[in-house]
Amino acid sequence: MPLTSPLALTMGEPAGIGAEISFGAWKALRQDGPFFLYIGDPALLGDAPWREIADPAEAAAIFPDAIPVLPLPLAVPAVPGQLDPRNAPAVIASIERAVALAQSGAAAAVVTNPIQKSVLTGTGFAYPGHTEFLAALAPGDGPPVMLLAAAGLRAVPVTIHQSLRSAIDSLTPEKIIAVARATAAGLSRDFGIASPRLALCGLNPHAGEAGTMGLEDRDIIAPAIARLRAEGIDARGPFPADTLFTPHARAGYDVALGMYHDQALIPVKTLDMAGGVNVTLNLGVVRTSPDHGTALDIAGQGRADAGSLVAALRLAAELAAHRLERKPA
């Protein structure tokens, strides 16, 4: 189903590469890709052709010739590579406006440029990352789920933005079950996979090897899998993490669930850093983002690769179309 509403693209950290890759994405998509509008300060776009719009409905006609922009001025001019907390409110407002547009139907989905969380936190931002903030703005039916998608692999971390020690301490069967349920529902609703196959990583080497290398796999992860299977969810494991991401293993599941952040994200970024996409499942809106950070070290140098943002925009359009197809008449 073709989209009739634009994707809402946030500006991200003004001192980073967000504007540069937004221009690159427009160049890649302006003829045959999904169309988007940019919410941010147009001064960030430099020499890119852009046109101010007052209504998202104007974006489709403008997109082949210029980037449609809903202006959101910064407090102070951005300097590439130099963070300025005075611009944090505009970064937050860009996200809030994108979500509001998607909730109203004026935008098909939200695509977020990378933010610098340390700057936002220093100004009182109460969330550890994009995922948690978006869940507060557009809650779903359960916990938000971070899914990383690359060529031939989807992966979900059960615990996200917390230290490794606290992640292990917080791991429970209930948490695994909640994330797995939301993952299965999200893959069905947004990816069109009728019966998703979930492969769960073990926490310890060799998935604990019958308790000789740790008890978490036996006492926490295995019981969660048994309960999921009793509910009719195709959950398998726990599998040793060092073999779960081989090409042969990846052919046997639709998504891998890692028990902590890096266990899930390292394989995706190793396989396809330039084309990886971050998807938040179980939100009230479709949301994707590039699978990289603000790249302050190369901002303003014309070196940023827009590939991940292009992939994020294409996937957002695909997921939004799936969601529209499943929407009751």
Side-chain angles (χ1 to χ4, degrees):
M1 178 181 296
L3 299 180
T4 57
S5 301
L7 305 172
L9 177 62
T10 67
M11 66 177 165
E13 168 52 51
I17 62 171
E20 184 179 335
I21 60 176
S22 297
F23 181 23
W26 172 78
K27 288 190 290 185
L29 298 172
R30 59 189 291 246
Q31 297 300 328
D32 63 351
F35 65 104
F36 63 84
L37 58 82
Y38 177 84
I39 304 172
D41 194 324
L44 294 172
L45 294 170
D47 296 332
W50 63 272
R51 282 178 56 187
E52 180 176 340
I53 60 173
D55 187 328
E58 302 171 45
I62 291 170
F63 192 75
D65 301 310
I67 301 172
V69 176
L70 285 173
L72 187 60
L74 296 173
V76 294
V79 178
Q82 298 183 26
L83 300 172
D84 194 321
R86 290 174 291 179
N87 285 328
V91 173
I92 295 169
S94 178
I95 301 168
E96 291 172 333
R97 189 165 188 186
V99 171
L101 290 174
Q103 288 174 318
S104 71
V110 175
V111 181
T112 57
N113 267 308
I115 58 174
Q116 194 74 18
K117 291 184 282 290
S118 60
V119 175
L120 303 187
T121 302
T123 62
F125 186 68
Y127 304 92
H130 252 137
T131 301
E132 296 82 0
F133 184 39
L134 289 160
L137 294 174
D141 297 329
V145 171
M146 175 193 290
L147 181 146
L148 277 293
L153 176 62
R154 301 182 192 94
V156 166
V158 171
T159 59
I160 308 177
H161 296 121
Q162 57 191 116
S163 72
L164 181 57
R165 185 179 300 279
S166 67
I168 295 172
D169 290 342
S170 70
L171 198 64
T172 63
E174 290 73 23
K175 178 174 284 189
I176 295 169
I177 290 167
V179 172
R181 284 173 179 159
T183 299
L187 288 179
S188 177
R189 178 176 64 174
D190 293 339
F191 284 80
I193 302 173
S195 300
R197 300 166 298 167
L198 281 59
L200 279 73
C201 286
L203 177 68
N204 297 297
H206 302 181
E209 200 158 303
T212 62
M213 296 185 186
L215 301 177
E216 292 87 355
D217 304 273
R218 186 191 70 187
D219 296 346
I220 297 175
I221 303 173
I225 293 171
R227 286 170 57 184
L228 289 165
R229 293 186 67 83
E231 295 178 8
I233 295 174
D234 188 355
R236 311 169 188 184
F239 298 109
D242 61 351
T243 57
L244 186 57
F245 300 101
T246 64
H248 176 75
R250 296 200 308 269
Y253 58 80
D254 296 301
V255 63
L257 272 65
M259 295 302 111
Y260 55 91
H261 183 278
D262 287 4
Q263 190 180 51
L265 270 62
I266 286 174
V268 174
K269 294 188 176 185
T270 300
L271 280 172
D272 193 9
M273 183 67 187
V277 178
N278 184 346
V279 182
T280 306
L281 299 177
N282 204 29
L283 289 178
V285 300
V286 170
R287 179 261 178 158
T288 67
S289 73
D291 184 20
H292 58 69
T294 55
L296 297 172
D297 57 325
I298 63 169
Q301 300 176 26
R303 297 166 50 198
D305 184 347
S308 186
L309 179 56
V310 171
L313 289 158
R314 290 192 185 279
L315 184 57
E318 179 184 329
L319 301 186
H322 279 303
R323 193 173 285 200
L324 278 174
E325 288 171 0
R326 293 174 60 88
K327 189 175 181 179

Coordinates of all heavy atoms in Angstrom, one line a residue, residues 154 156 176-185 187-188 193 195-201 225 228-229 233-237 239 244 252-257:
R154 N 17.8 -9.7 12.4 CA 17.1 -8.8 13.3 C 17.5 -9.3 14.7 O 17.5 -10.5 15.0 CB 15.6 -8.9 13.1 CG 15.1 -8.6 11.7 CD 13.6 -8.7 11.7 NE 13.1 -8.6 10.3 CZ 12.8 -9.7 9.6 NH1 13.0 -10.9 10.1 NH2 12.3 -9.6 8.4
V156 N 17.1 -8.2 19.1 CA 16.5 -7.4 20.1 C 17.3 -7.6 21.4 O 17.5 -8.7 21.8 CB 15.0 -7.8 20.3 CG1 14.4 -7.3 21.6 CG2 14.2 -7.4 19.1
I176 N 11.9 -11.1 30.3 CA 12.2 -11.8 29.0 C 10.9 -12.1 28.3 O 10.7 -11.9 27.1 CB 12.9 -13.1 29.2 CG1 14.3 -12.8 29.8 CG2 13.0 -13.9 27.9 CD1 15.1 -14.0 30.3
I177 N 9.9 -12.5 29.0 CA 8.6 -12.9 28.5 C 7.9 -11.6 27.9 O 7.4 -11.6 26.8 CB 7.6 -13.5 29.5 CG1 8.2 -14.9 29.8 CG2 6.2 -13.6 29.0 CD1 7.5 -15.6 31.1
A178 N 8.0 -10.5 28.6 CA 7.3 -9.3 28.2 C 8.0 -8.8 26.9 O 7.3 -8.4 25.9 CB 7.4 -8.2 29.2
V179 N 9.3 -8.8 26.8 CA 10.0 -8.4 25.6 C 9.7 -9.3 24.4 O 9.5 -8.9 23.3 CB 11.5 -8.2 25.9 CG1 12.3 -8.0 24.6 CG2 11.8 -7.1 26.9
A180 N 9.7 -10.6 24.7 CA 9.5 -11.6 23.6 C 8.1 -11.5 23.1 O 7.8 -11.5 21.9 CB 9.7 -13.0 24.2
R181 N 7.1 -11.3 24.0 CA 5.7 -11.1 23.5 C 5.6 -9.9 22.6 O 5.0 -9.9 21.5 CB 4.8 -10.9 24.7 CG 4.4 -12.2 25.5 CD 3.6 -11.8 26.7 NE 3.2 -12.9 27.6 CZ 2.9 -12.8 28.8 NH1 3.0 -11.6 29.4 NH2 2.6 -13.9 29.5
A182 N 6.2 -8.7 23.1 CA 6.1 -7.5 22.3 C 6.8 -7.7 21.0 O 6.4 -7.1 19.9 CB 6.7 -6.3 23.1
T183 N 7.9 -8.4 21.0 CA 8.7 -8.6 19.7 C 7.9 -9.4 18.7 O 7.8 -9.1 17.6 CB 10.0 -9.3 20.0 OG1 10.8 -8.5 20.9 CG2 10.8 -9.6 18.8
A184 N 7.3 -10.5 19.2 CA 6.5 -11.3 18.3 C 5.3 -10.6 17.8 O 5.0 -10.6 16.6 CB 6.0 -12.6 19.1
A185 N 4.6 -9.8 18.6 CA 3.5 -9.0 18.1 C 4.0 -7.9 17.1 O 3.3 -7.7 16.1 CB 2.8 -8.3 19.3
L187 N 6.7 -8.0 15.1 CA 7.0 -8.6 13.9 C 5.8 -9.0 13.1 O 5.8 -8.9 11.8 CB 7.9 -9.8 14.1 CG 9.3 -9.6 14.6 CD1 10.1 -10.9 14.9 CD2 10.1 -8.7 13.6
S188 N 4.8 -9.4 13.8 CA 3.5 -9.8 13.1 C 2.9 -8.5 12.5 O 2.5 -8.5 11.3 CB 2.6 -10.5 14.0 OG 1.4 -10.8 13.4
I193 N 5.1 -10.8 9.5 CA 5.5 -12.2 9.7 C 4.4 -12.8 10.6 O 4.3 -12.5 11.7 CB 6.9 -12.2 10.4 CG1 8.0 -11.5 9.5 CG2 7.3 -13.7 10.6 CD1 9.3 -11.4 10.2
S195 N 3.9 -15.9 11.9 CA 4.3 -16.7 13.1 C 5.8 -16.5 13.3 O 6.6 -17.4 12.9 CB 4.0 -18.1 12.9 OG 2.6 -18.3 12.7
P196 N 6.3 -15.4 14.0 CA 7.7 -15.2 14.1 C 8.4 -16.2 14.9 O 7.9 -16.8 15.9 CB 7.7 -13.8 14.8 CG 6.4 -13.2 14.7 CD 5.4 -14.4 14.6
R197 N 9.6 -16.6 14.5 CA 10.5 -17.5 15.2 C 11.5 -16.7 16.0 O 12.3 -16.0 15.4 CB 11.2 -18.4 14.2 CG 10.2 -19.3 13.3 CD 11.0 -19.9 12.1 NE 11.5 -18.8 11.2 CZ 12.4 -19.0 10.3 NH1 12.9 -20.3 10.1 NH2 12.9 -18.0 9.5
L198 N 11.5 -16.9 17.3 CA 12.4 -16.2 18.2 C 13.5 -17.1 18.7 O 13.2 -18.2 19.3 CB 11.6 -15.6 19.4 CG 10.8 -14.3 19.2 CD1 9.7 -14.5 18.1 CD2 10.1 -13.9 20.5
A199 N 14.7 -16.7 18.6 CA 15.8 -17.5 19.1 C 16.4 -16.6 20.3 O 16.8 -15.5 20.1 CB 16.9 -17.7 18.1
L200 N 16.5 -17.2 21.5 CA 17.0 -16.5 22.6 C 18.4 -16.9 23.0 O 18.7 -18.1 23.0 CB 16.1 -16.8 23.8 CG 14.8 -15.9 23.9 CD1 13.8 -16.4 22.9 CD2 14.2 -16.0 25.3
C201 N 19.2 -15.9 23.1 CA 20.6 -16.1 23.5 C 20.7 -16.6 24.9 O 20.0 -16.1 25.8 CB 21.4 -14.8 23.4 SG 21.8 -14.2 21.7
I225 N 11.3 -19.3 28.2 CA 11.0 -19.9 26.9 C 9.9 -20.9 27.0 O 9.0 -21.0 26.2 CB 12.3 -20.6 26.4 CG1 13.3 -19.5 26.1 CG2 12.0 -21.4 25.2 CD1 14.7 -20.1 25.7
L228 N 6.6 -19.0 27.2 CA 6.3 -18.5 25.9 C 5.8 -19.5 24.9 O 4.8 -19.3 24.2 CB 7.5 -17.8 25.3 CG 8.0 -16.5 25.9 CD1 9.4 -16.2 25.5 CD2 7.0 -15.4 25.6
R229 N 6.4 -20.7 24.9 CA 5.9 -21.8 24.0 C 4.5 -22.2 24.5 O 3.7 -22.6 23.6 CB 6.9 -22.9 24.1 CG 8.3 -22.6 23.4 CD 9.2 -23.8 23.3 NE 8.7 -24.7 22.4 CZ 8.9 -24.7 21.1 NH1 9.6 -23.7 20.5 NH2 8.4 -25.6 20.3
I233 N 3.9 -19.0 21.3 CA 4.9 -18.2 20.7 C 6.1 -19.1 20.4 O 6.5 -19.9 21.2 CB 5.4 -17.0 21.6 CG1 4.3 -16.0 21.7 CG2 6.6 -16.4 21.0 CD1 4.6 -14.9 22.7
D234 N 6.6 -19.1 19.2 CA 7.7 -20.0 18.7 C 9.0 -19.4 19.2 O 9.8 -18.8 18.5 CB 7.7 -20.0 17.2 CG 8.7 -21.1 16.7 OD1 9.4 -21.7 17.5 OD2 8.7 -21.3 15.4
A235 N 9.3 -19.7 20.5 CA 10.5 -19.3 21.1 C 11.4 -20.5 21.3 O 11.0 -21.5 21.8 CB 10.2 -18.6 22.5
R236 N 12.7 -20.3 21.1 CA 13.7 -21.4 21.1 C 14.9 -21.0 21.9 O 15.3 -19.8 21.9 CB 14.0 -21.9 19.7 CG 12.8 -22.1 18.8 CD 13.2 -22.3 17.4 NE 12.1 -22.3 16.5 CZ 12.1 -22.5 15.2 NH1 13.3 -22.7 14.6 NH2 11.0 -22.5 14.4
G237 N 15.6 -22.0 22.5 CA 16.9 -21.7 23.1 C 16.8 -22.2 24.6 O 16.0 -23.0 24.9
F239 N 20.4 -20.5 23.4 CA 21.5 -20.9 22.5 C 22.8 -20.2 22.9 O 22.7 -19.0 23.3 CB 21.2 -20.6 21.1 CG 20.0 -21.3 20.5 CD1 18.8 -20.6 20.2 CD2 20.0 -22.6 20.3 CE1 17.7 -21.2 19.7 CE2 18.9 -23.3 19.7 CZ 17.7 -22.6 19.5
L244 N 25.1 -18.3 17.7 CA 23.8 -18.0 17.2 C 23.7 -17.1 16.0 O 22.7 -17.0 15.3 CB 23.0 -17.3 18.4 CG 21.5 -17.0 18.2 CD1 20.8 -18.3 17.8 CD2 20.9 -16.4 19.4
G252 N 17.5 -20.0 10.6 CA 16.5 -20.7 11.4 C 15.7 -19.9 12.3 O 14.8 -20.4 13.0
Y253 N 15.8 -18.5 12.2 CA 14.9 -17.7 13.1 C 14.7 -16.4 12.4 O 15.4 -16.0 11.5 CB 15.5 -17.5 14.5 CG 16.9 -16.9 14.5 CD1 17.1 -15.5 14.4 CD2 18.0 -17.7 14.7 CE1 18.4 -14.9 14.4 CE2 19.3 -17.1 14.7 CZ 19.5 -15.8 14.6 OH 20.7 -15.2 14.6
D254 N 13.6 -15.7 12.9 CA 13.3 -14.4 12.4 C 13.9 -13.2 13.2 O 14.1 -12.1 12.7 CB 11.8 -14.2 12.3 CG 11.1 -15.2 11.4 OD1 11.5 -15.1 10.2 OD2 10.3 -16.0 11.8
V255 N 14.2 -13.5 14.4 CA 14.8 -12.5 15.3 C 15.6 -13.2 16.4 O 15.1 -14.3 16.9 CB 13.7 -11.6 15.9 CG1 12.7 -12.3 16.8 CG2 14.4 -10.4 16.7
A256 N 16.7 -12.6 16.8 CA 17.4 -13.1 18.0 C 17.2 -12.2 19.1 O 17.3 -11.0 19.0 CB 18.9 -13.2 17.6
L257 N 17.0 -12.7 20.3 CA 16.9 -11.9 21.5 C 18.2 -12.0 22.4 O 18.5 -13.2 22.8 CB 15.7 -12.3 22.4 CG 14.4 -11.6 22.0 CD1 13.9 -12.0 20.6 CD2 13.3 -12.0 23.1

